[in-house]
Amino acid sequence: MNKINAQKFFPGRHLLFEVMAVQALLAGVVSAGQPAANLLENGSFELGLHNNWSHPYFDQTPLSVTDDTTATQGKRSLKLKCSTYNRRAVTIMKYKPVKAEEGDVFTFAADFKADGEKAKVNRLAISSDWHRISFKVPQKDGMAVLALDLSGAEHFWIDGATLSCGAEPLDFTPAAQVEMGLYSEIPGNIFSENEPVLIHLQAVSYGKNVNIKPELAIMDYFGKRVLSKTPDISLAKGESNDVKLEIPLDLFGAFRAELREKTGGPVMAEMVFTRMRSFKNAEHRAQSPACGHY
């Protein structure tokens, strides 16, 4: 199993989140597009739990891992540990809001299994065997907001997720032939001056073996481009690739990393990070609010 590092959420980040998903409303919206399309990015979780997903993180135990030993799509599935919220054993996941027109009907479908006899997903019973379930996604204020309420088991596995505009659930198809995401291994994405700024770029190709040259642009607080990188990445069909990029940054402040499939293309993933003066010591860093202690 590969642990996926949970990150602090800041508005606009399309990566791993560890806060309540109501903040995902700040992350932007996606357009419904064609009714038959899968609107849910990274639905096979080959890139772990990011690209527009959010969920709570209530303790120091890693909440999510990818499990390479079981999957219905691709090479891995997402494994979630049930947490505790308001004294109730539950894990709530949300996907970023989808813009909805009046009369639109949205349907979610995914493969689930769990290790508890009373396991439920949005009150729908699941078992220890993979089983595909679906349900309608409600609208509010012109947005369709997908929320998953997982309860009744210690661990849940999810794979092959789809979100579509239509009354019928979809079999799994990827949202795009190439999907990408960003994350860092530093708590809160806060780098100090005495350590390198390392950003991981993950990518997967579902259709065929391809070579890509994405653009990673670093923007400062005022939206000015500070620098950019365009790495060459080879992707084998169905295999995710994790590329560690060192950003030669000598400035301090808040920055946004914007990932595009090619130079000048639309932003596919974002990540907010900070570079600051050095902490006095490890204890000082651990006590910083940005590193998870409130």
Side-chain angles (χ1 to χ4, degrees):
M1 295 184 186
N2 301 316
K3 293 183 178 179
I4 299 297
N5 180 46
Q7 301 292 332
K8 280 298 183 191
F9 173 88
F10 289 86
R13 223 192 256 174
H14 291 175
L15 37 77
L16 300 183
F17 305 126
E18 40 173 75
V19 299
M20 283 303 296
V22 66
Q23 291 177 290
L25 293 170
L26 301 175
V29 298
V30 290
S31 174
Q34 297 298 320
N38 183 7
L39 307 176
L40 197 153
E41 298 175 23
N42 190 32
S44 68
F45 301 101
E46 300 303 299
L47 305 181
L49 183 58
H50 60 85
N51 274 29
N52 313 321
W53 282 103
S54 59
H55 63 84
Y57 186 89
F58 297 104
D59 53 36
Q60 299 303 310
T61 304
L63 190 63
S64 64
V65 296
T66 51
D67 192 338
D68 294 342
T69 67
T70 180
T72 63
Q73 301 293 334
K75 303 289 186 179
R76 58 183 56 159
S77 61
L78 182 73
K79 180 181 179 181
L80 286 177
K81 177 179 174 61
C82 200
S83 189
T84 301
Y85 177 57
N86 284 346
R87 292 179 292 183
R88 176 174 173 244
V90 61
T91 286
I92 299 175
M93 296 173 59
K94 283 192 178 182
Y95 192 73
K96 70 178 181 179
V98 174
K99 187 176 181 181
E101 303 293 339
E102 185 176 354
D104 283 346
V105 176
F106 291 87
T107 303
F108 170 79
D111 303 319
F112 287 92
K113 69 175 182 176
D115 60 4
E117 296 180 357
K118 298 181 179 180
K120 291 184 178 181
V121 178
N122 291 37
R123 299 183 180 180
L124 298 175
I126 60 173
S127 68
S128 58
D129 297 320
W130 284 109
H131 180 66
R132 193 163 185 82
I133 65 173
S134 64
F135 54 83
K136 300 296 183 288
V137 177
Q139 293 187 30
K140 183 179 180 180
D141 299 327
M143 299 289 173
V145 181
L146 168 62
L148 304 181
D149 186 325
L150 313 177
S151 62
E154 184 176 358
H155 296 98
F156 292 81
W157 287 261
I158 311 172
D159 206 358
T162 64
L163 177 64
S164 58
C165 184
E168 296 299 322
L170 289 181
D171 292 332
F172 177 75
T173 54
Q177 289 304 301
V178 174
E179 293 187 326
M180 298 189 292
L182 298 172
Y183 75 96
S184 86
E185 296 179 338
I186 300 299
N189 293 344
I190 298 179
F191 299 89
S192 64
E193 62 181 320
N194 59 351
E195 63 187 357
V197 177
L198 297 176
I199 296 178
H200 290 254
L201 189 164
Q202 282 188 304
V204 61
S205 173
Y206 296 100
K208 58 183 179 180
N209 298 344
V210 295
N211 293 318
I212 61 174
K213 194 171 185 178
E215 179 190 48
L216 179 65
I218 307 300
M219 319 296 289
D220 67 12
Y221 178 82
F222 302 100
K224 179 182 177 182
R225 181 179 294 227
V226 176
L227 57 88
S228 63
K229 282 181 170 284
T230 52
D232 288 303
I233 302 175
S234 296
L235 297 176
K237 178 182 177 181
E239 300 285 347
S240 62
N241 197 341
D242 191 317
V243 179
K244 185 185 296 185
L245 301 175
E246 182 170 351
I247 309 301
L249 196 62
D250 57 5
L251 303 173
F252 297 99
F255 302 89
R256 182 186 301 275
E258 297 181 348
L259 181 62
R260 295 173 171 83
E261 188 172 0
K262 60 182 180 181
T263 301
V267 175
M268 296 185 67
E270 299 174 340
M271 170 180 158
V272 173
F273 68 94
T274 302
R275 186 171 185 267
M276 60 185 295
R277 299 292 182 183
S278 297
F279 292 96
K280 295 179 181 179
N281 50 53
E283 182 180 357
H284 183 218
R285 179 173 193 157
Q287 293 174 349
S288 170
C291 293
H293 295 265
Y294 291 87

